[in-house]
Amino acid sequence: MASVTLENVNKRFGTTRVIEDVSLEIGDGEFVVFVGPSGCGKSTLLRLIAGLESITHGDLMIDDQRVNNLTPPERGIGMVFQSYALYPHMTVHDNIAFGLKLAKSDKQTMEERVSQTAKILQLDNLLDRLPKALSGGQRQRVAIGRAMAREPKILLFDEPLSNLDASLRVQTRNEIAHLHERLGSTMIYVTHDQVEAMTLADRIVVLNEGHVEQVGSPRALYEQPASRFVAGFIGSPRMNFLSVTGRTAGEAGCQISIPGLGDQVLPRRMENDDESLTLGVRPEHLIPAAATGESGFKILNVEYLGSEAYLYLQVPDGEALVCRTEAPCPFTRGGRVTLTFDAHRAHLFDRDGHALPMIAAPDTQPAPAQATTS
Amino acid sequence: MTLRRLQAILLKIGFWLLVGVLMLYAIFPFYYAVVTSLKPSSELFEVSYWVDSVDLSNYAAVLSQPAFLAAIRNSVVVAISVVAIALLLGLTAAWALGRVRFRGRTTVMILVLGVSMFPQVAVLSGLFEVIRTLDLYNSPGGLILSYTIFTLPFTVWILTTFMRQLPDELEEAAIVDGASPWVTLTKVFMPLLWPAMATTGLLAFIAAWNEFLFALTFTLTDSERTVPVAIALISGGSQYELPWGPIMAASVIVTVPLVILVVIFQRRIVSGLTAGAVKG
Amino acid sequence: MTAREQQGAPPDNGRHAASGDGSVRLDAPPRRERGTRVRRRRVRAAWLFLTPMLIVLAAVAGWPLMRTFWFSLTDASLSSLEGAQFIGLENYLVFDEGWYGIMADPLWWQSVWNTLYFALVSVSLEAVLGVIVALVLNAHFRGRTLVRAAMLIPWAIPTVVSAKIWAWMLNDQFGIINHLLMGLGLIAAPLSWTADASLSMWAVIMVDVWKATPFVALLVLAALQMLPGDCYEAAKVDGISPVKVFFRVTLPLITPALLVAVIFRALDALRVFDVIYVLTSNASSTMTMSIYARQQLVEFQDVGYGSAASTLLFMIIALVTVIYLYLGRRQLGGES
Ligand SMILES: Nc1ncnc2c1ncn2[C@@H]1O[C@H](COP(=O)(O)OP(=O)(O)O)[C@@H](O)[C@H]1O
Ligand SMILES: [Mg+2]
């Protein structure tokens, strides 16, 4: 098992910088997920760690040894590819054994290793099959088995579930989590799907245009996004964003006036007065209440999901607000609601998208701030 | 309505007529060679469109000639060796050209394409000297060497095309498994390229089997000739009395294997020809 | 560096700080590296894998070509290649009380003309016929595979054999073609196709067209099968006549493939040797550049002179190739 350290790792393809100054420490046995929109450089970063791409600048260490110049097998990594990339002409057995054969393992350990791997992944009965005679999920498991067989210190996954259908994806996701528990090896996992990231990761690395936006546990990322990008990327439906102006309000934090929600003080520290800020509130932190007359927000749509419902609310200028509520709910399309939210669960971002730091600890639960509607 | 139907029927008849004419055009010459070869020499000079009675005397005459048998043997040896060499060198070169990005790759590709385009006559004197220096004149070795000039480039070209179609991740998987380029090529790619290699090998075989200019120039004695030269040089008592019966019999003998191969492997041949040409 | 660690993993600082002990050697090389080791190994392997092919091509193509160029500047003869003397451009053209050399040889110019004529006519016919055959093979009908296999037969038959077969069919006394034409009353007396100077070129073209049309047809067929079906549906719905559809839709779309086929055929036709050698031997009415060069080289044993002819042929073909590559690139550039 091994730790992985990246120090100011850069990757250029020609003149385009695809990875910019990424520094990371991945602990022994950790499950780390790289997540980010498509094209942000997740795969490239993974391939840099694997040794399939060269590092333009910076250092990559595995267990404190600089490995920039080592080949993938020398680095002790195993990799599961998006397309599985099984050897089509080899049986499941030979697919799994190929790496062992090349590592010149003796026949007995090889067979042991193969059958052990097959058992863990429930491939015992499929060892003589060719990949084309397997289902998608089975191929996926063979790909994992092939990556595992040489007992690599680090297992790398590049969007391994993207070729599976939805139900199989959930199942395989659980199997991978279970596998991590069982093997205890360091795993790095790339996905563009934040749900996968949230459910699997010990820690998530959010990438954006080649740099790291934030590193943290799923909960930390969800509750304390460091930037507007992370706040918008993690969580579904997306966090609501509203443009507001902020004024310092002494020790209490920052007073903002919100179009449609009135004035409110948030426990966030701000540097400059009168700054234009972005307020972020997650749908589940907006509490709707039936409104009378023309006050509040107009309901554009109600999405009923059984246990919960989402209200889409009209905002004078900008994207509709999304608001979660228990179902069944009394709200109907065309009606109006007023909104309140917990000031401790709202986020403020400055002009550059950085989150304003929290003043008080979030676990003290003050009464919900009452927002007066205009 | 009926006019429409009539028109459709006429169109159909016209189409089938066209198909018939094309078939006749494609097949008839060979068919006629077979017919001629099965006639005794006495009937040779009466034109007839089918065989009345099978007479194998022409075949007997051809096959009893040691020179013709030697020619067949030489052709087989040369063609098979050329195919083996072209596939071996072509496969490694195709891996390099199809799967590795490196400085000078385009130059090599253009070089290979250039060689496949240039006229055989242009190297005749230089190659003659090379072959004589290597002491390969009038031997199958000289032909095997010289035939690589036209088989190797298109073998490389076609195999490169097929090699490019294999997914990148497959090769990366092999790299992660610790495979060297040689192992990747022989253990992973080669098994997947068998169809392409069969196609290419077949095309190379046909090209080598049919070659004439080098075989004519670089061999001297009957025992070293290949089939095309042997057939071209069959002569009778005088220039105006060619023994057409035996010539046709020999033609049929050397062509039938090719025709069978082509009919069996037509799909592969078509894919090979288009892969070699369209990607130019 | 924008990473803001909000909740750090257990950073094993003690262990991490100790880096350097086991990795001194690896830290030494310059920071900027050209590719991973895998990549460098692959590039090295690529050159290694190319080497045998390059050596063979150099031995059978590069070096001989250079030697041919050299011989063309000497008085080499087949029996004394080693004793060749440099004579400059005398093989090409020299003034010695009158012009001598290839450029002054009317037979050479005739063979140039014959080659161009042969290439132009036969390739044009093959293109037209090839498109027709491809259209037929592209239609859906029973037995299409069989017809396609039949079309491949002329292509597979060795050129020498097809030349012999046609020579027999074109035989002036007993040939089936004359028999047929006389039976149909088209000609009164048998024609001597291969011997008559005015007919022999056509005989040669006939054989070449027969043999090479399948190649063109197959390439065009491949292009036809890649055409999208919906524009035909649209045309059918709009009631446009099939002929119009062919010229407006199909032909423009298959032109690239047809051009490729035509250039391949043209290069073949420009270096044509075996059909003509077998059908009409060294007759001047069908003499092509290849025939001319080989005759000088082998039959007259004049390696210097023959090499000069070979060199000229090479240059003509190189010129055609360069023009083709240039046009091809222009076309590719225009497409994207
Ligand atoms: N071999 C390459 N050459 C040039 N650009 C590349 C190469 N590989 C990836 N890129 C570019 O790098 C960026 C990141 O790619 P990638 O890491 O595959 O993104 P993703 O996060 O979707 O996995 C993309 O813009 C892509 O176009
Ligand atoms: Mg990716």
Side-chain angles (χ1 to χ4, degrees):
Chain A
M1 306 305 133
S3 64
V4 182
T5 310
L6 286 80
E7 282 173 13
N8 297 319
V9 168
N10 282 277
K11 175 65 187 173
R12 267 195 291 263
F13 286 117
T15 53
T16 42
R17 280 178 88 173
V18 177
I19 297 294
E20 291 181 35
D21 276 335
V22 169
S23 296
L24 268 181
E25 285 192 24
I26 296 169
D28 189 7
E30 233 191 328
F31 198 122
V32 170
V33 175
F34 295 168
V35 73
S38 156
C40 68
K42 308 176 296 283
S43 297
T44 306
L45 190 56
L46 194 75
R47 293 158 56 80
L48 290 176
I49 296 173
L52 290 172
E53 300 280 1
S54 63
I55 295 173
T56 311
H57 196 88
D59 294 321
L60 174 69
M61 330 271 254
I62 292 178
D63 276 344
D64 300 334
Q65 188 197 5
R66 186 169 180 274
V67 296
N68 286 37
N69 286 322
L70 299 188
T71 63
E74 286 166 350
R75 293 179 190 200
I77 60 116
M79 185 155 174
V80 179
F81 294 88
Q82 185 168 359
S83 64
Y84 314 147
L86 299 178
Y87 308 122
H89 57 293
M90 295 186 199
T91 60
V92 171
H93 174 280
D94 293 349
N95 262 284
I96 296 175
F98 190 61
L100 294 166
K101 252 181 229 162
L102 292 178
K104 304 231 158 45
S105 318
D106 64 272
K107 200 155 174 66
Q108 198 189 338
T109 41
M110 188 178 87
E111 290 306 330
E112 264 168 32
R113 209 75 79 66
V114 171
S115 65
Q116 204 181 336
T117 311
K119 197 167 289 163
I120 294 175
L121 295 165
Q122 292 143 38
L123 293 168
D124 323 40
N125 301 325
L126 307 174
L127 283 175
D128 295 327
R129 297 237 193 125
L130 286 175
K132 64 168 179 264
L134 299 178
S135 70
Q138 290 167 339
R139 283 180 207 179
Q140 170 67 70
R141 294 211 298 274
V142 177
I144 296 176
R146 183 179 60 181
M148 271 170 51
R150 270 183 306 114
E151 299 189 334
K153 294 182 285 186
I154 302 159
L155 267 178
L156 308 175
F157 298 84
D158 190 354
E159 312 222 9
L161 305 185
S162 57
N163 286 339
L164 299 178
D165 61 43
S167 65
L168 209 52
R169 209 177 292 175
V170 174
Q171 188 192 331
T172 315
R173 200 170 74 199
N174 288 327
E175 280 168 8
I176 291 175
H178 184 67
L179 194 68
H180 177 239
E181 211 165 281
R182 177 161 181 169
L183 299 178
S185 52
T186 312
M187 293 189 179
I188 305 177
Y189 186 105
V190 161
T191 178
H192 64 270
D193 177 0
Q194 53 103 13
V195 177
E196 247 169 64
M198 298 289 278
T199 50
L200 282 171
D202 292 331
R203 272 197 310 155
I204 296 176
V205 177
V206 181
L207 289 170
N208 181 23
E209 293 182 349
H211 64 262
V212 175
E213 281 279 336
Q214 188 175 5
V215 182
S217 69
R219 182 158 175 218
L221 254 53
Y222 191 77
E223 292 181 352
Q224 299 150 44
S227 66
R228 191 184 152 162
F229 177 83
V230 175
F233 193 78
I234 303 282
S236 168
R238 216 167 78 104
M239 186 184 273
N240 297 298
F241 294 111
L242 288 166
S243 306
V244 296
T245 0
R247 252 173 300 130
T248 52
E251 283 301 294
C254 163
Q255 186 181 11
I256 53 173
S257 73
I258 315 158
L261 283 168
D263 285 3
Q264 194 156 7
V265 176
L266 300 187
R268 301 273 167 176
R269 184 174 300 122
M270 74 182 294
E271 309 290 325
N272 324 326
D273 231 8
D274 270 338
E275 205 180 340
S276 56
L277 300 170
T278 304
L279 171 74
V281 190
R282 294 201 182 276
E284 61 268 40
H285 299 142
L286 283 174
I287 302 156
T292 49
E294 288 300 294
S295 63
F297 299 90
K298 184 175 174 210
I299 301 175
L300 293 173
N301 192 15
V302 180
E303 261 180 21
Y304 173 72
L305 297 175
S307 65
E308 56 193 9
Y310 290 99
L311 308 182
Y312 289 82
L313 306 176
Q314 191 173 33
V315 178
D317 42 285
E319 244 179 275
L321 286 178
V322 185
C323 160
R324 196 195 86 107
T325 174
E326 297 288 314
C329 66
F331 309 110
T332 52
R333 183 184 307 176
R336 300 190 80 87
V337 289
T338 55
L339 291 176
T340 51
F341 62 88
D342 178 351
H344 282 94
R345 289 182 154 167
H347 306 268
L348 278 178
F349 304 100
D350 64 18
R351 209 172 289 152
D352 305 325
H354 298 311
L356 300 186
M358 196 80 154
I359 292 176
D363 41 25
T364 55
Q365 285 278 333
Q370 191 67 46
T372 48
T373 53
S374 53
Chain B
M1 259 304 92
T2 43
L3 196 70
R4 270 261 167 100
R5 286 252 325 250
L6 193 69
Q7 201 181 356
I9 289 170
L10 280 180
L11 214 65
K12 202 152 210 175
I13 291 174
F15 177 79
W16 282 104
L17 220 59
L18 186 60
V19 170
V21 167
L22 288 178
M23 281 286 273
L24 199 67
Y25 178 62
I27 294 181
F28 184 77
F30 186 60
Y31 166 78
Y32 190 62
V34 175
V35 169
T36 307
S37 71
L38 291 173
K39 284 202 277 190
S41 46
S42 55
E43 288 174 23
L44 203 60
F45 302 113
E46 294 157 32
V47 173
S48 69
Y49 292 89
W50 40 78
V51 206
D52 301 321
S53 60
V54 174
D55 178 282
L56 295 174
S57 60
N58 289 322
Y59 288 91
V62 168
L63 291 174
S64 64
Q65 277 183 30
F68 186 70
L69 294 177
I72 289 185
R73 197 194 58 228
N74 290 333
S75 271
V76 169
V77 168
V78 168
I80 288 180
S81 313
V82 167
V83 168
I85 292 175
L87 282 183
L88 182 70
L89 302 189
L91 199 65
T92 52
W95 177 82
L97 295 173
R99 304 219 56 102
V100 186
R101 305 180 127 264
F102 60 93
R103 234 174 232 272
R105 186 177 65 162
T106 317
T107 315
V108 175
M109 296 283 289
I110 289 176
L111 223 68
V112 169
L113 191 64
V115 171
S116 75
M117 287 183 171
F118 76 60
Q120 286 181 29
V121 159
V123 291
L124 210 56
S125 50
L127 202 51
F128 182 77
E129 189 192 35
V130 169
I131 283 174
R132 228 174 41 178
T133 310
L134 296 174
D135 208 11
L136 292 173
Y137 181 67
N138 195 30
S139 82
L143 295 186
I144 293 168
L145 181 71
S146 58
Y147 284 9
T148 53
I149 195 176
F150 55 87
T151 50
L152 195 49
F154 83 77
T155 309
V156 170
W157 204 254
I158 297 176
L159 287 178
T160 303
T161 315
F162 281 107
M163 196 73 92
R164 288 228 170 109
Q165 292 166 356
L166 296 172
D168 285 348
E169 286 197 344
L170 200 62
E171 184 158 20
E172 288 172 352
I175 291 172
V176 170
D177 270 339
S180 64
W182 178 249
V183 170
T184 311
L185 179 64
T186 51
K187 294 273 167 61
V188 179
F189 284 169
M190 224 166 83
L192 299 177
L193 283 175
W194 271 123
M197 287 172 64
T199 305
T200 324
L202 204 60
L203 293 177
F205 185 90
I206 292 174
W209 185 265
N210 296 356
E211 202 282 339
F212 181 62
L213 175 58
F214 285 165
L216 180 68
T217 310
F218 299 146
T219 57
L220 190 63
T221 55
D222 279 351
S223 63
E224 304 301 325
R225 302 267 192 226
T226 59
V227 164
V229 182
I231 290 177
L233 297 184
I234 291 178
S235 55
S238 79
Q239 208 204 323
Y240 302 100
E241 274 176 51
L242 286 178
W244 288 109
I247 290 179
M248 289 303 124
S251 299
V252 171
I253 290 171
V254 305
T255 309
V256 161
L258 291 190
V259 170
I260 290 173
L261 281 180
V262 164
V263 171
I264 293 175
F265 294 106
Q266 55 155 319
R267 208 169 282 276
R268 288 208 187 300
I269 290 175
V270 171
S271 77
L273 282 179
T274 41
V278 175
K279 297 294 160 112
Chain C
M1 158 82 219
T2 51
R4 300 174 183 195
E5 289 249 282
Q6 297 243 331
Q7 197 187 55
D12 200 347
N13 279 332
R15 221 157 45 120
H16 184 231
S19 83
D21 48 359
S23 51
V24 175
R25 194 183 53 82
L26 289 174
D27 272 332
R31 306 286 287 181
R32 212 182 169 296
E33 282 140 20
R34 298 179 59 215
T36 54
R37 245 193 47 222
V38 171
R39 202 183 130 56
R40 286 195 301 266
R41 195 164 76 175
R42 280 161 60 78
V43 171
R44 217 175 321 127
W47 281 112
L48 202 68
F49 284 12
L50 280 175
T51 310
M53 178 198 73
L54 290 175
I55 289 175
V56 168
L57 285 187
V60 299
W63 172 253
L65 191 63
M66 291 304 129
R67 292 299 288 171
T68 299
F69 290 166
W70 164 249
F71 284 140
S72 77
L73 303 174
T74 67
D75 61 357
S77 75
L78 207 53
S79 49
S80 72
L81 284 179
E82 293 76 19
Q85 294 288 316
F86 180 76
I87 55 167
L89 293 176
E90 281 183 26
N91 286 321
Y92 294 91
L93 195 62
V94 65
F95 189 82
D96 182 16
E97 296 169 25
W99 291 100
Y100 294 96
I102 294 175
M103 306 289 235
D105 182 355
L107 189 58
W108 164 253
W109 288 112
Q110 178 167 8
S111 56
V112 171
W113 165 246
N114 283 342
T115 312
L116 293 178
Y117 184 80
F118 168 81
L120 191 74
V121 175
S122 62
V123 174
S124 307
L125 287 173
E126 285 155 19
V128 173
L129 268 176
V131 170
I132 293 174
V133 172
L135 287 173
V136 168
L137 289 180
N138 194 40
H140 294 273
F141 61 91
R142 265 165 167 280
R144 183 162 74 139
T145 326
L146 193 75
V147 177
R148 189 171 69 174
M151 291 295 153
L152 272 172
I153 290 177
W155 171 81
I157 293 180
T159 314
V160 168
V161 169
S162 53
K164 279 290 180 196
I165 294 176
W166 279 88
W168 169 234
M169 297 205 314
L170 291 170
N171 188 285
D172 49 356
Q173 295 173 55
F174 317 108
I176 191 165
I177 305 258
N178 278 338
H179 184 261
L180 202 68
L181 292 177
M182 280 166 63
L184 291 172
L186 291 174
I187 53 173
L191 299 174
S192 63
W193 292 91
T194 53
D196 187 331
S198 62
L199 286 175
S200 53
M201 181 55 93
W202 285 99
V204 167
I205 289 173
M206 196 150 47
V207 179
D208 191 69
V209 168
W210 178 74
K211 184 164 164 49
T213 300
F215 175 79
V216 179
L218 287 178
L219 292 197
V220 174
L221 179 63
L224 277 175
Q225 286 173 344
M226 281 189 284
L227 292 189
D230 42 1
C231 57
Y232 287 97
E233 303 290 311
K236 208 180 237 174
V237 170
D238 292 347
I240 301 169
S241 83
V243 178
K244 229 178 202 166
V245 170
F246 173 75
F247 282 105
R248 296 271 171 83
V249 183
T250 313
L251 196 57
L253 286 172
I254 59 171
T255 299
L258 187 59
L259 277 182
V260 170
V262 162
I263 188 72
F264 270 71
R265 282 303 310 141
L267 290 174
D268 264 353
L270 287 174
R271 59 194 176 193
V272 62
F273 176 79
D274 28 13
V275 186
I276 293 174
Y277 185 85
V278 173
L279 265 184
T280 61
S281 193
N282 290 334
S284 66
S285 60
T286 53
M287 181 170 279
T288 61
M289 291 188 274
S290 284
I291 300 261
Y292 179 92
R294 186 185 177 279
Q295 189 183 32
Q296 299 293 338
L297 269 172
V298 179
E299 271 143 57
F300 303 158
Q301 310 245 324
D302 192 343
V303 172
Y305 196 84
S307 296
S310 304
T311 305
L312 288 176
L313 170 59
F314 173 81
M315 284 174 176
I316 290 173
I317 289 192
L319 191 71
V320 173
T321 310
V322 167
I323 291 173
Y324 161 68
L325 286 178
Y326 176 73
L327 290 179
R329 182 166 300 173
R330 267 239 317 241
Q331 197 193 346
L332 284 183
E335 267 171 17
S336 57

